[in-house]
Amino acid sequence: MAPINQTPQGRIPNDEPTVRLTVSQATIKFLANQFVERDGERQKLFAGCFGIFGHGNVAGLGQALLQAELEDPEALPYILGRNEQAMVHTAVAYSRAKDRLQTWAVTTSIGPGATNLVTGAALATTNRIPVLLLPADTFATRVSAPVLQELERPDSGDLTVNDTLRPVSKFFDRVWRPEQLPSALLGAMRVLTDQAETGAVTVAIPQDVQAEAFDWPVALFNERTWHLGRVVPQPGQVARALDLIRAAQKPLLVAGGGVHYSRATEALRAFAEQTGIPVGETQAGKGALRYDHPLAVGAIGSTGTTAANALAADADVVIGIGTRYSDFTTASRTAFSNPDVKFVNINVCSLDVCKHSAVGVLADARETLTALADLIDGYRTTDEYQERVRSLAAEWDAMVESAYHPGRTGESGRLLQSEVIGLVNELTDPRDVVVCAAGSMPGDLHKMWRTRDSKGYHVEYAYSCMGYEVAGGLGIQMACPDRDVFVMVGDGSYLMMATELVTAVQEGVPVNVVLVQNDGYASIGSLSEELGSQRFGTKYRYRSDRGRLDGDVLPVDLAANAESLGAEVIRAHTASEFAAAIKHAKTSPRPTVIHVESDLMTNAPDSKSWWDVPVSETSALESTQQAREVYDAWKSVQRHYLTPSE
Ligand SMILES: Cc1ncc(C[n+]2csc(CCOP(=O)(O)OP(=O)(O)O)c2C)c(N)n1
Ligand SMILES: [Mg+2]
């Protein structure tokens, strides 16, 4: 080691060119120069930056965004959103529509602006979709403390409300000093572009630091390309997977969201056709195979088709591709009930590869399917098995057909929800996109939506967040201007967050919204009833003389609400009015909301499945006691899947 007083003789002096910019200006300039490449396709990582300004970011990042817009409007376009959580939803939906190859940055003020991000961040991380959050933070210098919206604590000087974003972010950094910015930004990019690690990424910048100037090495702003490689499966892993598949009599493929992100739908179809293995789909995986393909059995699990669930019950080898095996997919570990069932898990995430004691293949879905197809030789399921697949699928499809065309209305004379879904399905183009997140419709859509295009189905069901729908629809319509987007939203979700209709109007994004008004929570209401809780507290009613929420229906007019936000609104009462409204919405250049009333009682065909929601073990209500008996019976068939699949 050199003595401390030695000079660096003989070394070349550091004359790296620098540029003097604020931390905010440097951040924006850096973000505008990030690119992503996969399969030879290169594009900007950030389509732009959503934001809502407050004192935390208006003069820092706000000034930088203004300067950038004036210099080059294409560099990092700024869009004013209406709610911070909603802006994250819009960014996430956009990114999912782009197979996670592109996303947005989201800038917020400090305090409530920042904490409004938490739900959006949790949604992004749960769904594993990249989004960059740039919440402002309280002063690094603290001279003016406590500042407006600062969480002042007696026990900590460096904790701020932004720390709530840590557990819901896949990467979190706070830039206390300008020198920290390069490592914070590069760390953020690494996680955003890592297929296994991605999710919400937070870089919090204190409001004083945002405005501080620094001499940055120019190289920080060079164009930088993040190459998204495809992880190739190891031969040993492929061999072990092949051993299992070749021995399978009744195999079943389960396609998850990873099939889409990897753009493996063609490889999946080819593999299924080569081997005669049927394909079930999770919520995120739906659309992996066209609904009418002879090997498609549609949705699997708690909201699955009877076809997929019958095959799941018998399956001896389950090949999960890009799936997290959520409780809805596994029917809370009751769907795969063959005592000898074995699993092959293909995933880029080691967390998922290990589930259910599977034979794991830690690799890209497309690469793995291609490798399996190359090596599986003449393996094929029997004609008898394939015939069973076709007949089970046909049986389900007939049920969907009658649910689409019920030939009757609900008890109140309103349209049945299954007919509403059927009309949207039949009157939209195959490439149009249906969007949903929470309520009774995600389950109904999972079961009944006939997907005709791999990108035609977008239901956020990892976080199933009420309020995602309209904001998400905006993002998808922005990502796919050549498709018509139809958001299906319940009155509950609409009331929680319809704010981004205003943003859609502002940006001229012609997203369509089908608003199903049923005066309450059909979903949680029917769950409540099933679990013996009698739909308690799930209806939009006045408080009655009895002191309960069982008075008259509340006089809420959501169509008028949508009109007031600037959308074009059509009130449809009958099937023919509704059909005309869909046709009109497809041609309208404006955001269009179709308001339709339906019943709280929905009528989708039964999945013959289960979802683990615990029922009170002891209760004064007979309805609850009966529900507990059913619950105990299902609990007794729940599995752990602990036997190694090898
Ligand atoms: C933010 C959030 N809060 C609560 C829930 C729990 N939840 C799931 S569905 C639902 C009701 C949805 O109502 P609505 O949008 O009217 O749809 P419907 O059930 O009537 O079809 C609730 C409260 C949730 N998923 N997200
Ligand atoms: Mg409702």
Side-chain angles (χ1 to χ4, degrees):
M1 202 172 134
I4 282 168
N5 59 0
Q6 190 184 305
T7 55
Q9 277 168 357
R11 309 261 165 133
I12 300 164
N14 182 3
D15 57 355
E16 238 185 328
T18 59
V19 53
R20 192 160 178 81
L21 297 170
T22 66
V23 168
S24 298
Q25 291 157 1
T27 301
I28 299 306
K29 204 173 171 59
F30 174 90
L31 297 182
N33 282 297
Q34 304 308 302
F35 289 78
V36 156
E37 179 276 330
R38 190 173 69 173
D39 302 334
E41 238 180 74
R42 183 174 178 268
Q43 61 207 305
K44 278 195 159 188
L45 173 56
F46 297 101
C49 180
F50 284 100
I52 293 179
F53 296 126
H55 64 285
N57 60 342
V58 67
L61 281 163
Q63 190 281 337
L65 283 161
L66 164 66
Q67 197 166 305
E69 185 173 293
L70 295 175
E71 270 169 25
D72 175 8
E74 302 287 303
L76 195 76
Y78 168 74
I79 292 184
L80 166 61
R82 296 301 174 296
N83 174 301
E84 291 84 357
Q85 181 193 135
M87 294 193 294
V88 186
H89 295 337
T90 304
V92 165
Y94 183 98
S95 185
R96 175 167 159 186
K98 294 274 188 181
D99 292 328
R100 312 194 297 188
L101 298 174
Q102 246 192 328
T103 186
W104 288 72
V106 177
T107 168
T108 75
S109 191
I110 65 165
T115 50
N116 264 358
L117 291 173
V118 174
T119 298
L123 180 143
T125 294
T126 311
N127 281 280
R128 303 177 184 171
I129 308 281
V131 58
L132 176 64
L133 309 180
L134 300 171
D137 219 321
T138 45
F139 282 64
T141 49
R142 299 188 192 163
V143 182
S144 340
V147 296
L148 177 68
Q149 299 172 333
E150 176 174 340
L151 179 75
E152 200 183 5
R153 289 177 56 121
D155 60 333
S156 168
D158 68 346
L159 188 141
T160 80
V161 293
N162 285 2
D163 288 282
T164 57
L165 285 159
R166 283 183 193 270
V168 288
S169 298
K170 293 303 286 275
F171 177 88
F172 180 99
D173 207 349
R174 183 183 276 123
V175 181
W176 292 117
R177 293 186 54 83
E179 291 91 328
Q180 296 170 335
L181 186 71
S183 67
L185 291 177
L186 290 167
M189 296 311 115
R190 172 180 57 77
V191 176
L192 286 169
T193 58
D194 182 323
Q195 298 291 282
E197 278 301 305
T198 199
V201 161
T202 302
V203 177
I205 315 182
Q207 59 183 111
D208 49 352
V209 178
Q210 280 182 43
E212 228 175 289
F214 188 76
D215 295 310
W216 309 95
V218 168
L220 178 62
F221 310 111
N222 287 359
E223 280 191 6
R224 208 171 288 264
T225 304
W226 300 85
H227 298 279
L228 267 56
R230 292 182 176 275
V231 179
V232 178
Q234 290 177 18
Q237 296 180 341
V238 172
R240 284 193 289 275
L242 284 171
D243 280 350
L244 270 199
I245 300 169
R246 282 201 197 100
Q249 307 285 317
K250 296 170 180 174
L252 176 66
L253 285 153
V254 177
V259 172
H260 291 286
Y261 307 143
S262 160
R263 296 200 176 148
T265 52
E266 274 309 298
L268 175 72
R269 187 179 56 76
F271 182 72
E273 286 173 0
Q274 181 183 341
T275 57
I277 304 179
V279 179
E281 296 170 332
T282 73
Q283 281 278 15
K286 196 165 156 92
L289 199 58
R290 256 190 80 107
Y291 85 99
D292 52 0
H293 187 283
L295 288 160
V297 289
I300 190 161
S302 307
T303 51
T305 68
T306 46
N309 285 339
L311 294 171
D314 290 346
D316 51 2
V317 174
V318 176
I319 308 157
I321 312 172
T323 173
R324 303 186 303 126
Y325 287 111
S326 83
D327 59 349
F328 267 78
T329 298
T330 68
S332 303
R333 299 197 178 174
T334 60
F336 309 111
S337 54
N338 181 330
D340 300 317
V341 64
K342 293 181 163 65
F343 295 87
V344 173
N345 292 350
I346 301 162
N347 210 298
V348 288
C349 276
S350 58
L351 173 65
D352 300 315
V353 162
C354 295
K355 287 173 181 170
H356 299 175
S357 309
V359 161
V361 183
L362 184 66
D364 175 75
R366 201 177 81 184
E367 292 293 333
T368 307
L369 283 165
T370 311
L372 291 175
D374 283 349
L375 296 168
I376 202 160
D377 292 335
Y379 172 83
R380 237 185 122 61
T381 58
T382 62
D383 290 348
E384 189 193 354
Y385 186 61
Q386 288 171 44
E387 185 42 45
R388 177 151 191 260
V389 169
R390 275 193 293 276
S391 94
L392 283 167
E395 224 171 86
W396 177 261
D397 198 55
M399 286 194 258
V400 173
E401 187 64 19
S402 41
Y404 274 16
H405 304 281
R408 65 181 177 91
T409 57
E411 275 168 31
S412 59
R414 295 173 170 195
L415 286 181
L416 291 173
Q417 184 160 292
S418 68
E419 185 168 9
V420 170
I421 290 172
L423 284 165
V424 178
N425 187 276
E426 288 173 354
L427 294 168
T428 49
D429 290 319
R431 292 186 76 257
D432 291 350
V433 188
V434 70
V435 185
C436 197
S440 59
M441 277 187 288
D444 286 8
L445 289 166
H446 193 213
K447 289 176 189 182
M448 294 193 285
W449 187 260
R450 291 169 168 167
T451 44
R452 301 146 290 177
D453 178 90
S454 66
K455 299 228 85 58
Y457 184 88
H458 184 127
V459 173
E460 186 281 298
Y461 214 66
Y463 212 51
S464 184
C465 184
M466 291 170 77
Y468 176 87
E469 295 87 346
V470 173
L474 167 65
I476 299 158
Q477 189 69 81
M478 284 165 59
C480 314
D482 60 331
R483 298 172 188 255
D484 289 328
V485 172
F486 282 83
V487 173
M488 307 282 288
V489 63
D491 47 343
S493 272
Y494 179 91
L495 275 170
M496 216 169 264
M497 208 182 307
T499 50
E500 299 324 292
L501 274 177
V502 180
T503 310
V505 171
Q506 164 190 295
E507 300 298 322
V509 179
V511 59
N512 304 303
V513 176
V514 175
L515 167 47
V516 179
Q517 166 67 272
N518 55 19
D519 306 304
Y521 303 158
S523 50
I524 304 299
S526 78
L527 183 65
S528 167
E529 186 170 328
E530 204 183 306
L531 304 181
S533 295
Q534 308 175 10
R535 294 187 178 254
F536 174 67
T538 60
K539 295 174 188 164
Y540 289 175
R541 303 274 181 153
Y542 282 103
R543 191 164 296 283
S544 70
D545 297 343
R546 288 179 292 272
R548 307 195 62 200
L549 289 182
D550 59 359
D552 287 341
V553 172
L554 295 175
V556 178
D557 186 349
L558 295 181
N561 177 279
E563 250 157 17
S564 77
L565 299 179
E568 181 177 2
V569 175
I570 305 169
R571 291 168 166 86
H573 301 98
T574 61
S576 61
E577 282 176 19
F578 186 73
I582 295 283
K583 286 181 199 152
H584 175 80
K586 278 189 68 61
T587 60
S588 169
R590 295 175 56 194
T592 305
V593 175
I594 304 169
H595 182 271
V596 59
E597 293 181 333
S598 187
D599 278 338
L600 269 182
M601 311 298 162
T602 54
N603 64 315
D606 189 357
S607 288
K608 303 238 162 48
S609 187
W610 184 60
W611 181 36
D612 189 348
V613 180
V615 180
S616 297
E617 212 169 347
T618 178
S619 164
L621 307 176
E622 208 187 314
S623 59
T624 312
Q625 292 159 11
Q626 282 168 2
R628 178 70 199 197
E629 274 176 36
V630 176
Y631 181 74
D632 286 337
W634 275 106
K635 279 302 270 186
S636 72
V637 298
Q638 195 170 37
R639 299 275 298 273
H640 295 280
Y641 304 132
L642 295 177
T643 311
S645 291
E646 238 181 298

